[in-house]
Amino acid sequence: MSLLLQTIRRVAALAAFALLAALPPAQANHFILPCGDDVCTDAHWVFTGSLNVPRWGHTATLLPDGRVLVAGGVGEADILDSAELYDPVSGTWSLTGSMHLPRVDHTATLLSDGRVLVAGGEGRTGTAEIYDPATGTWSLTGNMNIIRSVDAAVRLQDGRVLVAGGFSAAGVAPSDYTDNRQSAELYDPATGTWTVADPRIYKRYWYTMTLLQDGRVLAARGTNNGDLEDTLSSSEIYDPVAGEWSAVEDSCCASVMHTATLLPDGTVLVAGGNTGGIGGDGVLASTELFDPATETWTRTGDMATPRYGHTATLLASGAVLVCGGQSQLSHYPTLQYVNHGSTEVFSRSTAAWTSSADLNDARSYHTATLLQDGTVLVVGGVVETSDYESIPVGTAELFGIATSDAEMGLPTTPSRSATR
């Protein structure tokens, strides 16, 4: 494609999104289409309603009917028990039933029957509860055997849920504390009970777990101490048939707050992260691929921006969209946070990253969900100020491409810009 044609396409896309920004969400959403290539050159972000309660550190779960359930997190004053639903048809948010307990750093897993299992979280001991989309209510289910937060959970191919690692939730009595970083357990939705599973080889929390195409589970990186003095590069795999963990090759880098994304070819892309350590100013731009067939890691192209606390979303095209996050300047005691609104797209075919449109609002510790129509919904998050204040974000944005002005039947003069 010639440079002139590329320029024309980009100008046309900007004009279309400027028009969309003037529309109500229900009307604008109708004209936003998924990015259809590996670089998303013409894609942009459009606001789509706002949360009723600004929050970060929450979970977001795509329901079978296409709505998105957002639960818990940290608000302007405290940890939240509230939950809300995003309707992609109307582009609006509505409060739904509140959880029995406030939670942050918890897990949320879509069960095979369409309900959502939420477990653990800071200060919540080992409790778990289930959201029923049909009634909009929560019900308590069996307690976990171990207190945990900043752990990880995946639904196995047989419908059970594997929860592993994590750290003792803050605010619990010392007598209730158990070193849970090496433990694992399985939830059975049929009985509502938890069973202790084979302990892992490595202690870790603030890590990632990824369900592989063959049904095994990859656990990567994390940390094994309470103050992030060091982070881990180790990896291991859980085999649900054998019920055992086995060590695999270490990744290139040690980090927490990275992302891990299963690609269509079965490999796993791990991107970014914070290396911890004294000073806490190590932030990664590096990315690498794990091959389950050989159980080895391979470095791939670096991102343009080092980041952690970001999101990574597999797009319908097979590309991966990375959004937002933080990096840092200097180190303690003069550490300063940099809030990112930038986004990048990874193409598996070229093993390279391409910069894409910036978010309207910089954010980290947000969520990003691929909707059923192929667009991406980014929700909430936090902005860190120069005096270390955490400001929750209440906006939500959609990522995609706009149909032409003629197809929208809209005037050709934009009323306001879609970006700021």
Side-chain angles (χ1 to χ4, degrees):
M1 183 184 298
S2 69
L3 179 60
L4 176 60
L5 183 55
Q6 290 181 22
T7 302
I8 292 172
R9 284 185 59 182
R10 288 173 183 171
V11 170
L14 284 170
F17 269 87
L19 290 167
L20 286 176
L23 296 175
Q27 189 176 354
N29 286 10
H30 180 69
F31 298 109
I32 302 173
L33 304 175
C35 169
D37 58 31
D38 277 0
V39 292
C40 299
T41 304
D42 301 328
H44 288 273
W45 295 91
V46 170
F47 287 115
T48 180
S50 291
L51 291 162
N52 291 279
V53 182
R55 65 186 75 215
W56 60 277
H58 53 280
T59 55
T61 309
L62 180 67
L63 302 177
D65 63 7
R67 295 178 298 167
V68 177
L69 171 70
V70 166
V74 178
E76 294 176 344
D78 209 344
I79 299 175
L80 302 171
D81 62 2
S82 64
E84 34 194 312
L85 292 167
Y86 174 76
D87 184 342
V89 177
S90 64
T92 57
W93 292 89
S94 59
L95 290 170
T96 187
S98 293
M99 296 183 292
H100 288 80
L101 297 168
R103 302 176 189 271
V104 65
D105 294 331
H106 54 288
T107 61
T109 309
L110 181 69
L111 301 178
S112 301
D113 61 7
R115 297 178 301 158
V116 179
L117 171 71
V118 163
E122 184 177 337
R124 297 305 102 203
T125 65
T127 63
E129 48 190 303
I130 289 181
Y131 179 77
D132 186 345
T135 62
T137 59
W138 296 84
S139 58
L140 290 171
T141 187
N143 289 346
M144 292 185 290
N145 293 280
I146 298 293
I147 297 168
R148 62 182 86 236
S149 64
V150 288
D151 52 324
V154 296
R155 190 183 81 194
L156 303 177
Q157 291 180 345
D158 63 7
R160 293 178 300 165
V161 177
L162 172 68
V163 171
F167 200 71
S168 176
V172 300
S175 60
D176 293 332
Y177 173 78
T178 304
D179 188 354
N180 50 27
R181 293 167 288 177
Q182 199 167 358
S183 69
E185 49 190 308
L186 293 161
Y187 178 78
D188 185 345
T191 62
T193 58
W194 297 84
T195 303
V196 175
D198 184 53
R200 292 185 317 189
I201 298 170
Y202 303 102
K203 296 180 178 181
R204 67 177 89 229
Y205 70 97
W206 231 336
Y207 69 106
T208 53
M209 280 205 310
T210 309
L211 180 66
L212 305 176
Q213 290 181 347
D214 62 8
R216 297 180 299 163
V217 178
L218 171 69
R221 302 190 184 178
T223 184
N224 62 4
N225 59 55
D227 54 10
L228 296 182
E229 281 188 14
D230 54 61
T231 52
L232 303 173
S233 62
S234 62
S235 304
E236 55 192 310
I237 284 182
Y238 178 73
D239 184 341
V241 176
E244 297 176 347
W245 295 87
S246 59
V248 295
E249 181 182 68
D250 286 0
S251 64
C252 72
C253 310
S255 71
V256 294
M257 295 172 277
H258 52 279
T259 56
T261 310
L262 180 68
L263 303 183
D265 64 3
T267 59
V268 178
L269 174 71
V270 170
N274 186 310
T275 62
I278 303 299
D281 57 347
V283 183
L284 301 175
S286 61
T287 68
E288 60 182 326
L289 292 163
F290 178 77
D291 185 346
T294 60
E295 299 185 351
T296 57
W297 294 90
T298 304
R299 282 288 300 270
T300 189
D302 286 357
M303 295 184 290
T305 301
R307 63 183 85 215
Y308 66 93
H310 54 286
T311 55
T313 308
L314 180 68
L315 303 177
S317 65
V320 177
L321 172 69
V322 161
C323 302
Q326 295 178 343
S327 58
Q328 297 167 178
L329 298 175
S330 188
H331 51 80
Y332 291 112
T334 59
L335 178 67
Q336 294 294 310
Y337 293 101
V338 179
N339 303 293
H340 293 303
S342 63
T343 72
E344 308 181 43
V345 176
F346 176 79
S347 168
R348 183 69 175 96
S349 60
T350 63
W353 293 87
T354 302
S355 294
S356 191
D358 287 354
L359 292 159
N360 290 291
D361 288 339
R363 61 187 83 210
S364 58
Y365 304 109
H366 53 285
T367 55
T369 306
L370 183 71
L371 302 182
Q372 291 181 346
D373 65 0
T375 58
V376 178
L377 175 71
V378 160
V379 179
V382 67
V383 171
E384 302 286 353
T385 68
S386 58
D387 57 356
Y388 306 110
E389 185 180 2
S390 299
I391 307 298
V393 177
T395 59
E397 311 185 36
L398 277 178
F399 179 79
I401 59 174
T403 54
S404 69
D405 299 353
E407 289 177 289
M408 287 189 285
L410 297 174
T412 56
T413 302
S415 60
R416 67 180 176 90
S417 173
T419 60
R420 61 184 185 184

